[in-house]
């Protein structure tokens, strides 16, 4: 470099004096992320290997096998997508929906709206099947929408995190969709690994999830599974999907037989996912579903015992996300902020049509433990009481303990 060029350069700016990382020690009982199991955190801090290292290829095989177990599927096309739940969601919708296709999506929660947005971006035409926020889809209403629109793809949310609603009657919905020639995409972000889900038995064509809910894993590698029938459609598209990164026909090169480079896998996240899935295999899937029902059942007993009301009836209650009605005259935002500040405890308020009406209390994975439930019931009761709500905090804790 010439002297003139060197002298015209300005000095680099001062480095920021950023402190060492010391995040607060929160108890995560919100809509996600959930508390991460210590074994998962340890797995994340083990040394990196290359994403094409033979040892990593073995890890990829193990992760795929474990994912098939947790999804209860024999689908070959079962992989973690690099990115958060929205990445596996967009991989599902962006590959399955071709320009000109029609996709039927629900309007009963926030994530049905996101499905619609992704389908539109994929060039699809969006039609809706309606139910109020806080209620599941009725099979007869879905049937009527299928008859009216004859869509190519039908998407539904198995566990709606924005409303605390579990979609019951899944086999009836998939049967109706198949009778009308539509492929079915299920959002299982808040159900996989915590709530009964049987991809093959229920004839779901495509299911996607995220790791930071019932898998109790940091976000970053998000489960996706596709049936052969769904993959046939993906591989016979007339046009390429709009996203190169999420193009499943290209990702097949890495996660399929070839194991050739597509993009650098998030190695530490794949380690974490492997350990999170191994924890589920060790616990046993049915035992784990039962644990979520039992521990979240105690949470439900606790909030009801202090005098609050659940937003969803037992029939479609979602153990991993408990929607609790905010008592009259109480500011949900102030309650959440106080719990965070004074108790290091995260819960959330409502969204969309239910903003201000519900608290959303997660009970997922490693967060679904008796100690967390007693803590959240006790802290919530105390804070609500201090704000003048008509609640019985001791009654709540007693009811939760009894149910445990
Ligand atoms: C039901 C549902 N679908 C999709 C997503 C999107 O996942 P992410 O925020 O990890 O991108 C979420 C996240 O909360 C969710 O709850």
């Amino acid at each position: 470099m010439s002297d003139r060029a060197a002298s015209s350069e300005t000095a680099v700016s001062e480095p920021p004096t950023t402190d060492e990382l010391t995040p607060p020690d929160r108890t995560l009982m919100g809509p996600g992320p959930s508390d991460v199991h210590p074994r998962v955190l340890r797995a994340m801090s083990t040394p990196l290997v290359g994403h094409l290292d033979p040892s990593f290829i073995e890890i990829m095989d193990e992760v795929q096998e474990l994912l098939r177990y947790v999804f209860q599927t024999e689908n070959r096309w079962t992989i973690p997508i690099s990115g958060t739940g929205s990445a596996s969601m967009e991989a599902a919708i962006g590959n399955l929906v071709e320009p000109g296709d029609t996709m039927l999506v629900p309007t009963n929660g926030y994530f049905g709206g996101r499905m619609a947005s992704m389908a539109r971006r994929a060039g699809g035409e969006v039609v809706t099947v309606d139910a109020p926020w806080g209620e599941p889809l009725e099979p007869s209403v879905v049937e009527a929408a299928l008859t009216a629109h004859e869509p190519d793809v039908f998407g539904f949310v198995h566990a709606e995190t924005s409303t605390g609603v579990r979609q019951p009657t899944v086999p009836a919905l998939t049967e109706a969709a198949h009778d009308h020639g539509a492929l079915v995409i299920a959002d299982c972000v808040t159900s996989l690994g915590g709530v009964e889900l049987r991809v093959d038995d229920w004839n779901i064509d495509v299911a996607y999830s995220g790791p930071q809910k019932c898998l109790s894993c940091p976000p970053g590698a998000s489960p996706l599974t596709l049936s052969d029938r769904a993959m046939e459609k993906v591989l016979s598209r007339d046009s390429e999907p709009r996203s190169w990164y999420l193009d499943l026909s290209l990702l097949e090169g890495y996660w399929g037989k070839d194991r050739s480079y597509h993009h650098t896998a998030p190695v530490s996240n794949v380690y974490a996912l492997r350990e999170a899935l191994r924890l589920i295999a060790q616990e046993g899937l049915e035992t784990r579903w039962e644990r979520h029902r039992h521990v979240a059942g105690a949470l439900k007993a606790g909030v009801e015992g202090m005098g609050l009301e659940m937003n969803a009836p037992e029939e479609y209650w979602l153990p991993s996300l408990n929607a609790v009605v905010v008592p009259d005259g109480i500011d949900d935002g102030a309650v959440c902020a106080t719990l965070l500040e004074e108790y290091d405890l995260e819960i959330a308020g409502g969204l969309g049509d239910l903003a201000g009406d519900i608290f959303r209390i997660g009970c997922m994975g490693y967060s679904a433990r008796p100690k967390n439930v007693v803590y959240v019931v006790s802290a919530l009761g105390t804070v609500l009481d201090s704000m003048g709500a008509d609640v019985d905090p001791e009654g709540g804790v007693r009811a939760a303990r009894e149910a445990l």
Side-chain angles (χ1 to χ4, degrees), residues 9 31 198 260 277 281 283 288 313 346:
E9 279 172 11
R198 300 173 188 272
S260 56
L277 295 169
E283 183 173 358
R288 189 165 173 111
E346 181 173 285

Side-chain angles (χ1 to χ4, degrees), residues 3-19:
D3 285 354
R4 237 181 64 176
S7 65
S8 69
E9 279 172 11
T10 52
V12 298
S13 56
E14 288 296 312
T17 54
T18 312
D19 288 336

Side-chain angles (χ1 to χ4, degrees), residues 162-373:
S162 64
T163 61
V165 167
R166 183 180 53 83
Q167 176 64 49
T169 64
V170 174
L173 301 190
T174 56
E175 194 185 336
H178 291 150
D179 285 349
H180 287 267
L183 287 167
V184 179
I185 300 180
D187 181 319
C188 303
V189 171
T190 298
S191 56
L192 184 72
V195 177
E196 183 178 9
L197 169 69
R198 300 173 188 272
V199 167
D200 285 1
D201 284 357
W202 294 354
N203 283 315
I204 295 169
D205 298 292
V206 182
Y208 60 81
S209 188
Q212 75 274 20
K213 312 271 184 174
C214 301
L215 305 186
S216 266
C217 183
S222 296
L224 174 70
T225 187
L226 292 94
S227 67
D228 282 349
R229 205 157 80 98
M231 208 53 198
E232 247 166 57
K233 176 162 200 278
V234 170
L235 295 177
S236 60
R237 290 174 58 106
D238 290 333
S239 59
E240 292 174 331
R242 291 184 179 175
S243 165
W244 175 89
Y245 192 66
L246 299 174
D247 182 339
L248 290 172
S249 69
L250 302 180
L251 284 171
E252 158 58 7
Y254 183 53
W255 284 99
K257 282 195 298 301
D258 293 354
R259 299 283 145 118
S260 56
Y261 172 70
H262 174 260
H263 68 268
T264 309
V267 173
S268 305
N269 290 89
V270 175
Y271 289 173
L273 183 61
R274 178 183 179 278
E275 194 59 20
L277 295 169
R278 222 163 67 84
L279 279 160
I280 299 181
Q282 286 171 354
E283 183 173 358
L285 197 52
E286 282 172 307
T287 311
R288 189 165 173 111
W289 294 338
E290 182 45 39
R291 170 164 65 83
H292 279 75
R293 282 192 72 82
H294 176 67
V295 177
L299 169 61
K300 188 150 113 52
V303 294
E304 285 171 346
M306 78 170 84
L308 301 179
E309 213 187 299
M310 296 291 291
N311 200 53
E314 180 72 25
E315 185 200 342
Y316 48 85
W317 162 59
L318 175 61
S320 48
L321 198 287
N322 297 272
V324 178
V325 177
V326 177
D328 282 345
I330 296 294
D331 172 356
D332 61 323
V335 174
C336 296
T338 308
L339 287 171
L340 195 67
E341 247 166 60
E342 293 180 12
Y343 293 85
D344 267 323
L345 173 62
E346 181 173 285
I347 69 163
L351 289 176
D353 286 7
L354 296 177
D357 294 344
I358 57 168
F359 293 117
R360 292 182 301 143
I361 309 180
C363 195
M364 307 174 184
Y366 191 55
S367 288
R369 281 178 293 159
K371 109 175 187 186
N372 283 29
V373 163

Side-chain angles (χ1 to χ4, degrees), residues 22 276 281:
T22 52

Side-chain angles (χ1 to χ4, degrees), residues 11-164:
V12 298
S13 56
E14 288 296 312
T17 54
T18 312
D19 288 336
E20 190 182 343
L21 184 69
T22 52
D25 186 12
R26 308 282 200 217
T27 299
L28 298 176
M29 297 296 281
S34 57
D35 286 344
V36 174
H37 195 286
R39 263 174 51 186
V40 174
L41 287 176
R42 274 203 300 278
M44 275 197 102
S45 61
T46 52
L48 242 66
V49 295
H51 59 284
L52 293 170
D53 187 306
S55 68
F56 193 67
I57 304 277
E58 233 171 81
I59 290 170
M60 292 165 72
D61 287 337
E62 290 164 349
V63 167
Q64 288 184 281
E65 191 190 353
L66 287 159
L67 278 177
R68 286 188 194 102
Y69 168 68
V70 176
F71 272 124
Q72 285 293 286
T73 185
E74 291 184 1
N75 288 342
R76 265 181 315 143
W77 311 87
T78 304
I79 62 174
I81 294 285
S82 305
T84 69
S86 302
S88 60
M89 181 176 190
E90 194 141 31
I93 296 170
N95 281 274
L96 223 64
V97 176
E98 288 190 75
D101 276 358
T102 302
M103 181 167 176
L104 178 67
V105 300
T107 58
N108 61 339
Y110 182 84
F111 291 101
R114 186 172 295 184
M115 277 186 167
S117 175
M118 288 181 177
R120 256 183 235 113
R121 282 162 190 252
E125 190 199 325
V126 171
V127 290
T128 60
V129 49
D130 300 324
W133 279 51
E135 289 182 25
L137 298 176
E138 276 300 326
S140 60
V141 178
V142 173
E143 172 65 46
L146 288 164
T147 305
H149 303 294
E150 294 296 339
D152 302 283
V153 179
F154 164 52
F156 75 93
V157 182
H158 182 224
E160 190 31 277
T161 327
S162 64
T163 61

